[in-house]
Amino acid sequence: MLYTNVIHRVDARADSRAAMAFQWREARRLALPTTTLLTYPALFMDEAIADVDQLRGDTDELGLHFHNFQSPRFLERFGTRESAFWLLPREVRRAFLDEMMTAFERRFGHLPKSIGGYIIDAWTLAHIKETYPSVEVAITSCFEEGVKMFYGNNRNWFLFSDGGPWNPYFPAKANALIPAADAEEAIDIVAVPHLNRDMIMALNSRDDLFASHPGNLFRARINEGAACPYLFRFIDAWERQAALNGWSYLNIFVSSPWMSPAHWAIGNIDDARALYRRMLEDLKEREERGANSNTTMVEFGAAFRARVKPGDATVCHWKDEIKQAKREVVWVANSHHRAAFDMNRGGALVDFRPYAGRLDGNLGPECPALWNGNYPFLISTEHCGGHWNTAQFASVSDGSHTFSTTDRRTRATVEKTENGAWIFRTEPLRFNLGAHSLVLQSAWEVSAQTGISIRRTVLEYSGDPTALRLTETFFGRPGTHEYPGDLRGITLWADPNTRLPFGYSSKEATVDSPRAVGADVGSLGVSVSMEAVTPALRGVLGDGWLFKPCFRLDLTHAPEPGKDVVTCLTTRPLKNP
Amino acid sequence: MPDNPPSQKPLICPACFAREIDPVFLHFDPEDGGEFYCTHCSYTARDRGAVEAFLSDHIRHRHGIG
Ligand SMILES: [Zn+2]
C-alpha cells in the first residue's frame, strides 16, 4: 500500500495565506485529508488562525512546523537572528518549543501529535518526546539535500543531513539519522522525510528540484506549462516501492509560498496551481482504484507502527524517471548502514554510510558538529571524484587483460526472499578479455543484518578458466563532503595477523589466503571488512597517498565457471576507537 | 572507455562540460538502438550528433557567440 500524505504549512504573509487557502480548498473539494502545520508567526496571528478555523475540515489534522519562525516577535523574545530551528541554541529551542506547544493547546484545545522541521536532531526529538509525549510522528530530515544543494543554492543553504534513510523509520537516540536497532534504542516517534526525492538525483544532483513538490518541479523547469508527466511517473515509482517493502510513503509538502504568484521560481502561477490541482486529483483517482491511501501524518504513523518495527530494513529500486533512460539504482537502509548501488557502473557500491559508530549528530552552537549534520560516508563516489577513489566493485583478469564491473551499465532485478531479505542481481554481462569473452553476473543479498553478501558468477568463458582471477576491491575514504580529512589513524588489516597503518606511504601489503581484509576507521567508530566466504587466494592492503587519499582492500579469487564467489561486506563497532 | 564504439574518440559529456567539470567521457551502451550515457551526471543521448550539438552550443557561448 502506498500512503500519500498531503501537507500544508500556514505562514503569516498575506500572499502565502491566500495560497494556502487555494491549496486547502482544492483538497476539501476532493475530500482529501491534509496535515496542516502552523508556523510560529501564524500561530500568534489572529487572521491566520481565522483562516484555519474557516478552511479546515473534519479529516484535517493540525500540527506545528518549526521553519519560517524568524519574525519581530521571535527576535524580541529570543534575541537571536538564527534562522534555522535545528541550529538554535538549546535553551532557545526549548523555550521556543514550549511557547509553540502552549499556544497551540490554547488555540485548539489539545497538544499536537504531528510536527515538522527541515532537520530535527536526536537531542531535540528526545526532548520533545519526553516533554510532549503526545507527539507521535515528525518530519525530521530533508533527504540528501546537503552538499549538492549547498552548491546549487550558491552556498547559502546550511542544511546538512546527508546519510540518513529516505523512507520513514524509528530514529535512534544516539543520532536521529540512524534507524534504531530495537525499541529500546528508538526515540518513540515515527520519523518521516520532508518530501520524497528522485533517488537517482539524490546521488548526483539536486534532489530538491526533483521531488514530490510541483513548485520545485517548476523551479527545475521539468514542466511544460501546466503539464509535467514526470510528476506522475514519480508517484508511480513510489507506488511500485510498496511491492518491495510491503508499504510505501509519499510526503507531499508544498509550503504555501510556492503556490503564491510572488514566488521567484514560479513563472506562471496559473500553470503551477493547475499542476497542483491535477496532482491532488491524481491522488484521489489512485485511491478510487485502490492503489493508495490518502492519510494524515498521524494516520500514517499508526499504519507504520502496525507494519514496521525498529530494526527492520528498507530497500528502494529506482529507475530513471526523468529521461526514462536505462539508469537504475538500488538503495538499502537498516540499523547498520545505508548503501546505494549504481547499475550505471555495473552495480558498484557508490555510497556507503556505516552506522556502527553511532556518531553524535546533534547540531547547534553547543555541539562539536555545529551545522554539519551529515552522517559520514566511507564511500561516496559523488563526493570523492569517481569509483577509482571510493567504491566497492570487482575486476577480472586473465593475466594479460583486465575488465572492471564498473565498465558496463546494467539493469537490476530485485526480489524479496522468504526470510525477509532482498536479493538483487545485474543482468548477465558479456565482457572481452583479449580475444576471449566472459559472461559475469553479480548479485547482492541485503537484509536487516550488518552483512551485505556479494556474489559474482562467471557464467561463460571461452578461454582457459584456470588463468582467471577475480578481485573484489573496496576503496574507502571517510568524510562528509569533498575535502578529505586526516586519514592517519586508520589501520588496514588482514585476518590473521597483518596490520598496515594508514600513513600516505602508498605501501601495499600482500597476504596469502586471508579470511578477511578490513580497515579500522576510528573517526567513524567502525571496522569495515570484506570476508572471504569463498576462500580467497590473496589479499592486498593498500595505503593511499596525499594525491589519492583513500585506502584499498582487495580479495582475489580463482573463479570457477558456474560457481559463485561470495564475499561478505560487514561493519562492526570499533572497540576502543 | 571499453564500451565506446572502437575507432571513435570518446565524447565529452556536454552536461558536465557545461558545469565546468573536467572532461568526463561518455560511455556507449549498444542495447536498444544504442545510447550514450555519463556515469558522473545523469546525461544520456541517443546519437552522437545530439551530444556534439549540445557541446558546441556551450563552446560558442564560451566564446561569446550566440
Ligand atoms: Zn556528465
Side-chain angles (χ1 to χ4, degrees):
Chain A
M1 174 61 76
L2 170 67
Y3 297 94
T4 40
N5 185 185
V6 173
I7 302 176
H8 298 154
R9 193 179 82 191
V10 187
D11 289 283
R13 272 182 21 204
D15 67 302
S16 294
R17 284 172 31 226
M20 202 213 50
F22 155 76
Q23 290 176 279
W24 219 341
R25 283 196 191 101
E26 288 301 323
R28 290 287 306 280
R29 179 174 68 81
L30 296 161
L32 287 175
T34 74
T35 296
T36 296
L37 305 177
L38 288 96
T39 58
Y40 180 83
L43 198 54
F44 295 101
M45 183 182 194
D46 290 338
E47 295 92 322
I49 298 297
D51 288 349
V52 170
D53 289 340
Q54 188 208 331
L55 292 165
R56 75 182 288 201
D58 294 340
T59 56
D60 293 311
E61 173 194 21
L62 298 182
L64 290 174
H65 199 268
F66 305 139
H67 196 64
N68 226 18
F69 56 79
Q70 199 47 266
S71 51
R73 178 189 174 98
F74 181 89
L75 184 59
E76 187 196 327
R77 293 182 79 79
F78 300 111
T80 172
R81 291 181 173 79
E82 186 62 72
S83 52
F85 168 73
W86 63 95
L87 301 176
L88 288 170
R90 284 181 174 175
E91 200 182 319
V92 175
R93 238 182 285 177
R94 261 196 226 107
F96 170 74
L97 283 165
D98 288 344
E99 191 178 8
M100 282 192 86
M101 291 286 183
T102 306
F104 186 95
E105 190 174 26
R106 196 175 62 243
R107 292 279 194 187
F108 303 110
H110 60 89
L111 286 162
K113 294 180 179 175
S114 299
I115 58 171
Y118 287 167
I119 295 178
I120 307 182
D121 66 17
W123 177 85
T124 310
L125 271 184
H127 167 74
I128 290 171
K129 189 68 198 178
E130 193 186 326
T131 320
Y132 302 100
S134 65
V135 174
E136 295 174 13
V137 53
I139 302 167
T140 59
S141 173
C142 293
F143 178 73
E144 238 56 10
E145 274 194 13
V147 176
K148 292 182 297 296
M149 189 169 171
F150 179 68
Y151 290 123
N153 218 297
N154 208 11
R155 288 82 167 166
N156 285 305
W157 192 242
F158 279 74
L159 186 154
F160 295 94
S161 59
D162 289 350
W166 64 93
N167 258 344
Y169 63 105
F170 294 99
K173 287 170 187 160
N175 186 315
L177 288 179
I178 301 175
D182 52 36
E184 195 177 329
E185 197 192 15
I187 299 167
D188 186 24
I189 287 177
V190 174
V192 303
H194 180 84
L195 305 173
N196 289 52
R197 313 291 175 143
D198 184 301
M199 296 297 285
I200 288 175
M201 299 311 263
L203 276 176
N204 69 356
S205 193
R206 292 282 299 276
D207 73 347
D208 59 308
L209 294 185
F210 301 92
S212 47
H213 188 307
N216 272 314
L217 299 177
F218 269 59
R219 183 182 187 171
R221 301 295 188 261
I222 196 167
N223 63 305
E224 277 188 76
C228 183
Y230 170 74
L231 173 60
F232 304 98
R233 293 198 298 269
F234 181 96
I235 300 173
D236 290 344
W238 287 103
E239 197 180 301
R240 285 197 300 273
Q241 303 308 318
L244 292 178
N245 292 299
W247 59 274
S248 183
Y249 172 72
L250 186 62
N251 177 293
I252 302 174
F253 188 163
V254 181
S255 62
S256 51
W258 286 92
M259 287 293 113
S260 158
H263 198 287
W264 65 269
I266 303 296
N268 182 323
I269 188 62
D270 294 334
D271 287 344
R273 289 188 175 188
L275 179 60
Y276 186 84
R277 187 183 293 122
R278 180 69 205 107
M279 177 190 70
L280 296 185
E281 288 164 357
D282 176 86
L283 298 179
K284 188 70 184 176
E285 288 159 19
R286 283 174 202 266
E287 190 169 72
E288 282 162 2
R289 60 173 193 268
N292 72 333
S293 173
N294 287 299
T295 63
T296 61
M297 275 175 69
V298 79
E299 285 164 355
F300 170 72
F304 184 79
R305 285 170 195 269
R307 284 176 174 273
V308 179
K309 61 181 193 309
D312 286 355
T314 183
V315 297
C316 176
H317 179 197
W318 193 264
K319 299 178 183 182
D320 178 359
E321 302 298 345
I322 296 178
K323 298 181 204 71
Q324 298 176 279
K326 197 170 144 186
R327 189 169 194 183
E328 299 180 8
V329 295
V330 177
W331 293 76
V332 59
N334 62 28
S335 65
H336 303 281
H337 54 247
R338 193 195 74 186
F341 301 83
D342 187 354
M343 297 303 138
N344 241 19
R345 306 181 207 230
L349 174 58
V350 294
D351 192 289
F352 187 49
R353 319 260 172 167
Y355 297 142
R358 295 297 198 252
L359 302 180
D360 181 352
N362 288 319
L363 297 173
E366 305 90 341
C367 301
L370 292 175
W371 46 265
N372 188 357
N374 289 345
Y375 201 92
F377 51 76
L378 256 189
I379 286 175
S380 169
T381 300
E382 176 62 21
H383 297 320
C384 299
H387 62 259
W388 46 90
N389 290 329
T390 63
Q392 198 288 324
F393 57 93
S395 53
V396 176
S397 167
D398 65 359
S400 339
H401 313 89
T402 304
F403 70 80
S404 163
T405 53
T406 59
D407 293 343
R408 289 292 303 275
R409 183 163 74 152
T410 181
R411 294 189 174 90
T413 53
V414 186
E415 290 166 39
K416 189 147 197 189
T417 69
E418 282 175 9
N419 59 1
W422 293 268
I423 291 179
F424 57 97
R425 293 182 177 83
T426 66
E427 299 162 301
L429 296 169
R430 187 172 293 278
F431 296 89
N432 294 328
L433 275 174
H436 293 289
S437 89
L438 183 149
V439 177
L440 183 76
Q441 188 169 29
S442 302
W444 295 261
E445 183 168 342
V446 296
S447 67
Q449 307 303 314
T450 173
I452 296 173
S453 174
I454 306 164
R455 275 184 245 165
R456 314 280 181 189
T457 316
V458 175
L459 297 173
E460 284 176 34
Y461 180 52
S462 62
D464 169 16
T466 60
L468 291 177
R469 293 294 177 266
L470 184 148
T471 299
E472 293 287 354
T473 295
F474 186 106
F475 275 121
R477 175 209 293 181
T480 61
H481 53 73
E482 288 96 329
Y483 283 9
D486 187 345
L487 274 68
R488 289 171 296 184
I490 293 174
T491 302
L492 311 180
W493 53 264
D495 181 17
N497 295 332
T498 304
R499 294 282 178 280
L500 178 65
F502 192 99
Y504 301 101
S505 71
S506 78
K507 279 183 192 151
E508 288 186 355
T510 302
V511 187
D512 289 334
S513 314
R515 287 192 289 254
V517 290
D520 292 349
V521 183
S523 61
L524 269 63
V526 67
S527 181
V528 60
S529 58
M530 292 198 295
E531 293 169 3
V533 179
T534 304
L537 289 179
R538 196 173 60 246
V540 176
L541 312 177
D543 191 5
W545 52 98
L546 284 166
F547 209 74
K548 189 180 169 71
C550 55
F551 64 81
R552 189 176 106 234
L553 306 169
D554 281 353
L555 272 183
T556 297
H557 297 263
E560 291 179 51
K563 290 193 179 168
D564 295 344
V565 172
V566 183
T567 307
C568 189
L569 176 63
T570 304
T571 53
R572 294 188 180 82
L574 188 57
K575 293 181 196 102
N576 311 315
Chain B
M1 297 303 101
D3 51 354
N4 256 287
S7 85
Q8 288 186 323
K9 274 205 168 186
L11 289 165
I12 290 170
C13 171
C16 285
F17 181 83
R19 289 196 293 158
E20 292 171 349
I21 296 169
D22 248 355
V24 176
F25 295 116
L26 293 176
H27 288 243
F28 182 74
D29 179 349
E31 200 183 291
D32 303 334
E35 190 169 64
F36 292 94
Y37 68 98
C38 179
T39 58
H40 189 76
C41 70
S42 285
Y43 180 79
T44 58
R46 281 298 193 183
D47 65 87
R48 212 176 167 89
V51 181
E52 284 166 348
F54 187 161
L55 193 57
S56 69
D57 219 32
H58 271 281
I59 292 168
R60 280 166 7 108
H61 280 296
R62 203 156 276 190
H63 290 284
I65 306 160

